[in-house]
Amino acid sequence: MNSPETPRLTRDDVAHVANLARLTLTDDELDAFTGQLADVLDHAADLEALDLDGVAPMANPFPLVNVLRTDTPVDHDVRDEVLAAAPSIEDEQFRVPPVLGEAP
Amino acid sequence: MSDGMGERVSDAIVPGWEVVIGLEVHAELATATKLFSTARNEFGGDPNTNVDPVSLGLPGSLPVLNEKAVELAIRVGLALDCEIGRSVFARKNYFYPDMPKDFQISQYELPINGRGHLELPDGRTVGIERAHLEEDTGKSTHVGGGGRIHEAGHSLVDYNRAGVPLIEIVGAPDLRGPEDARAYVAELRAILVAIGASDGKMEEGSMRVDCNVSVRREGAAEFGTRCEIKNINSLRSLGRAIEYEARRQVDLIEAGEAVQQQTRHWNEDEGRTHTLRSKEEAYDYRYFPEPDLVPVDPSDEWIDEIRATLPALPRERRHRLAEAAGVDTAAAALTVERGMDDLAVDAIAAGADAARVLVHVDNNLADGAGRLTADAFAALVAMEVGGDLTATQAKTVLADLVASGGDPAAHAATHGFEAMDTGELESLVDRLIADHPDDWAGFVGGDDKERKKKSGFFVGQVMKATQGQADGRIVNELLERRAAGG
């Protein structure tokens, strides 16, 4: 299905995605995952054999829309519990290491 | 790109260059709870009090969509004439401590509101590309280094805001200068407040503006490379940031360099923008459909129900007043902005002179109409136009009507305001002309400046002699008539 000259997924692609996910992979792991992920993509590529003109992309496997709740507040009162579970807190807030740059 | 904007000459910041601006406005929706959980949506609470497992992104927690947030988003879509349809939530993946799940739930390929437009007070329209739902992030405070991000020792995170519903309104690149941008944001805010979707408070961060700016040589067909400016906290900052950024880009191009597409941060104190992110990879958000939420597909019946509850929008109110008063929509804008258009329209309908009504509303009713009724207002304007009250006296009576209501004639009588007989006024003017021959010569023979000065002198003398009872406009008419030999 996949011609060897234009692989569906390269080792660089996997390294890029791993970096975005903040994962440090060894060379052996990169090789292994490149092969495994390529197999997953090949499996999904079976769909290309089907005529899908006029078939809308599926956003969710359940045939449901508009699952909504009313806008009624609940007092959860969980602050002390969740702060107690945090590695570091200060002034009732979560204390985190210095962050480089702005949120994207 | 859209209908009316092309005809206009831009207010050039740098001659020969055109600035192209597209704004992304985030507004917090006025719900009681968060977008996907029942924790309160409330500004200013103690840190981390309005949190729950969903807004903290705890394992096993699942989002459930807030019906009210969807309704408010549809209200925004209706007010901006957007196409409203089936929408799908998506995960926007990035790592930042203010986003505890390590992704933000937003809408990507299928937003709830598609293309629409907004009408500015002067009648021009600005395209809206989309207006989608997403959740807000928590709030980080950078400690140490004077609050500057780069030098901070550590950061503190409050998740009260995490998960608060936002509508992100993406405008088309139809704006051509700081004035356009400010007018657009002001109009958008007026709409959001009018329909009850948001309180629109920029100072509390419930309305935030990101600004895409590019420059091109005048007449160029292609857009230049744009930069996105964040951290704009007021309409004033918006104008300043656009001017700074446009000049920076023109300088770069004229020096033979290229503008890099990047996100820049507006620094209000330094009055400049600077770049914060360098890694190109940071833009790769790997959006994919949110598996924990099903699509939203509002029925036509629901949309119609919501439409039926919309109030008159600012643009409709401007058109109504403009038509009633025989002016253009720009001239009706201030009255509508102040919420005095119902009074003005009713007073005009009761027979009042439209021009006088607008003058009073825009200049003399800044603190509201109080107990003034449309009928009393119309009666007052009739007395003024009929010459029974001078402009100054009318203003005094108007203040009485605002404070205590009632009938303008009664208030005028209380003040002893009586119409001066025109014959009496004429003989007074003639006597003053005879008493001040040099001043009169100056009025008749002087240049514009001198003439103006002398007319001021004569009007002042008349006012003194009549204790302010005379109508300055009529005195000026008399002076003109005498000068012309009449």
Side-chain angles (χ1 to χ4, degrees):
Chain A
M1 169 128 344
N2 206 356
S3 83
E5 291 80 31
T6 56
R8 197 174 287 281
L9 187 77
T10 67
R11 198 171 182 276
D12 285 348
D13 291 334
V14 177
H16 172 69
V17 173
N19 182 44
L20 287 171
R22 306 294 185 267
L23 295 174
T24 307
L25 301 182
T26 64
D27 284 350
D28 288 348
E29 284 170 329
L30 267 180
D31 289 335
F33 292 143
T34 302
Q36 289 177 13
L37 282 169
D39 288 346
V40 171
L41 290 179
D42 282 346
H43 176 63
D46 288 351
L47 282 174
E48 287 173 7
L50 304 172
D51 178 7
L52 297 175
D53 283 355
V55 178
M58 184 188 261
N60 192 294
F62 299 108
L64 295 170
V65 294
N66 303 339
V67 176
L68 304 166
R69 74 180 159 79
T70 57
D71 185 31
T72 310
V74 172
D75 286 316
H76 292 275
D77 201 19
V78 295
R79 178 167 79 172
D80 293 346
E81 198 183 339
V82 295
L83 286 175
S88 179
I89 58 172
E90 184 178 320
D91 293 341
E92 312 300 330
Q93 300 186 62
F94 297 88
R95 184 184 159 129
V96 298
V99 183
L100 285 181
E102 279 280 272
Chain B
M1 171 136 269
S2 74
D3 330 344
M5 299 295 287
E7 311 148 14
R8 185 156 173 272
V9 179
S10 66
D11 23 24
I13 291 170
V14 183
W17 291 83
E18 183 177 57
V19 188
V20 176
I21 301 155
L23 298 179
E24 292 170 17
V25 173
H26 289 81
E28 289 181 353
L29 294 171
T31 57
T33 67
K34 294 189 176 182
L35 185 53
F36 300 118
S37 71
T38 53
R40 284 178 201 280
N41 167 13
E42 193 176 65
F43 179 79
D46 283 340
N48 293 307
T49 47
N50 297 325
V51 296
D52 67 294
V54 175
S55 47
L56 291 168
L58 296 183
S61 63
L62 288 170
V64 187
L65 184 58
N66 182 340
E67 179 175 26
K68 179 79 176 176
V70 176
E71 184 201 318
L72 293 178
I74 292 171
R75 288 176 85 79
V76 173
L78 288 169
L80 297 174
D81 291 321
C82 292
E83 297 159 15
I84 301 167
R86 178 175 178 273
S87 61
V88 169
F89 286 96
R91 289 188 183 181
K92 178 181 179 178
N93 297 281
Y94 66 88
F95 293 96
Y96 203 80
D98 64 14
M99 205 64 253
K101 299 189 297 299
D102 291 335
F103 59 85
Q104 178 189 29
I105 303 177
S106 180
Q107 296 188 312
Y108 188 53
E109 288 173 322
L110 289 171
I112 184 163
N113 299 305
R115 281 184 182 284
H117 65 269
L118 171 147
E119 186 178 309
L120 295 176
D122 63 13
R124 289 177 299 143
T125 58
V126 183
I128 301 292
E129 297 193 337
R130 55 189 282 154
H132 66 259
L133 276 165
E134 64 181 30
E135 57 179 338
D136 208 345
T137 62
K139 190 174 185 306
S140 319
T141 309
H142 307 292
V143 180
R148 278 191 290 275
I149 295 165
H150 285 300
E151 294 152 37
H154 61 276
S155 300
L156 301 179
V157 191
D158 169 12
Y159 290 114
N160 280 351
R161 202 180 65 184
V164 163
L166 292 175
I167 186 101
E168 177 175 345
I169 301 154
V170 181
D174 287 349
L175 306 166
R176 294 292 178 268
E179 280 311 314
D180 277 4
R182 281 193 289 253
Y184 170 84
V185 173
E187 181 64 18
L188 191 52
R189 181 165 58 185
I191 291 169
L192 293 174
V193 171
I195 64 176
S198 177
D199 66 20
K201 290 181 182 163
M202 283 184 93
E203 66 281 9
E204 286 183 4
S206 60
M207 186 164 155
R208 304 190 286 271
V209 180
D210 296 337
C211 181
N212 289 293
V213 177
S214 66
V215 298
R216 60 179 172 186
R217 290 188 195 277
E218 256 167 29
E222 299 290 315
F223 288 140
T225 303
R226 70 172 189 267
C227 289
E228 180 179 9
I229 311 169
K230 288 182 177 281
N231 193 42
I232 294 168
N233 298 319
S234 67
L235 288 183
R236 184 170 170 272
S237 303
L238 175 62
R240 290 182 72 203
I242 290 168
E243 285 191 31
Y244 174 87
E245 183 60 20
R247 288 209 174 88
R248 188 189 71 85
Q249 293 184 14
V250 169
D251 287 349
L252 274 177
I253 297 168
E254 289 190 332
E257 290 173 53
V259 175
Q260 301 290 323
Q261 182 167 343
Q262 57 188 194
T263 300
R264 300 179 67 85
H265 190 89
W266 169 248
N267 185 316
E268 179 68 28
D269 296 333
E270 295 173 18
R272 65 186 198 95
T273 65
H274 56 86
T275 179
L276 278 173
R277 264 178 269 157
S278 48
K279 277 192 183 168
E280 204 50 42
E281 285 183 339
Y283 291 101
D284 190 343
Y285 295 126
R286 294 152 294 144
Y287 282 97
F288 63 86
E290 165 60 67
D292 293 335
L293 291 163
V294 297
V296 182
D297 195 359
S299 66
D300 290 347
E301 291 74 29
W302 192 21
I303 295 171
D304 286 343
E305 254 172 58
I306 295 170
R307 194 195 317 269
T309 65
L310 283 183
L313 297 170
R315 69 156 187 268
E316 291 159 358
R317 292 164 54 188
R318 285 194 299 267
H319 281 285
R320 185 177 67 127
L321 176 59
E323 197 172 310
V327 297
D328 59 27
T329 50
L334 182 61
T335 306
V336 170
E337 198 184 306
R338 293 233 188 103
M340 306 286 265
D341 46 313
D342 280 343
L343 176 72
V345 167
D346 290 347
I348 293 166
D353 176 78
R356 289 309 301 164
V357 165
L358 290 187
V359 166
H360 282 306
V361 165
D362 291 350
N363 301 321
N364 304 329
L365 292 173
D367 298 324
R371 302 185 63 185
L372 173 68
T373 65
D375 285 339
F377 193 11
L380 171 77
V381 170
M383 289 173 73
E384 186 186 359
V385 171
D388 296 336
L389 289 174
T390 66
T392 314
Q393 291 168 342
K395 204 171 148 179
T396 305
V397 173
L398 186 61
D400 293 343
L401 292 170
V402 169
S404 53
D407 170 56
H411 286 294
T414 308
H415 287 286
F417 294 157
E418 281 167 41
M420 253 199 104
D421 186 68
T422 313
E424 230 175 287
L425 196 59
E426 282 192 47
S427 39
L428 174 60
V429 167
D430 289 338
R431 196 165 71 240
L432 288 167
I433 289 173
D435 290 350
H436 303 279
D438 292 346
D439 294 303
W440 180 244
F443 179 80
V444 175
D447 56 15
D448 277 356
K449 199 178 151 199
E450 177 73 4
R451 200 174 170 84
K452 211 167 176 179
K453 195 171 139 197
K454 292 304 172 192
S455 90
F457 167 78
F458 281 109
V459 172
Q461 290 294 315
V462 171
M463 291 302 177
K464 203 167 142 195
T466 62
Q467 275 134 21
Q469 301 268 325
D471 186 334
R473 197 165 41 90
I474 293 173
V475 176
N476 265 314
E477 279 170 21
L478 281 173
L479 290 169
E480 293 293 343
R481 209 190 308 156
R482 289 290 183 273

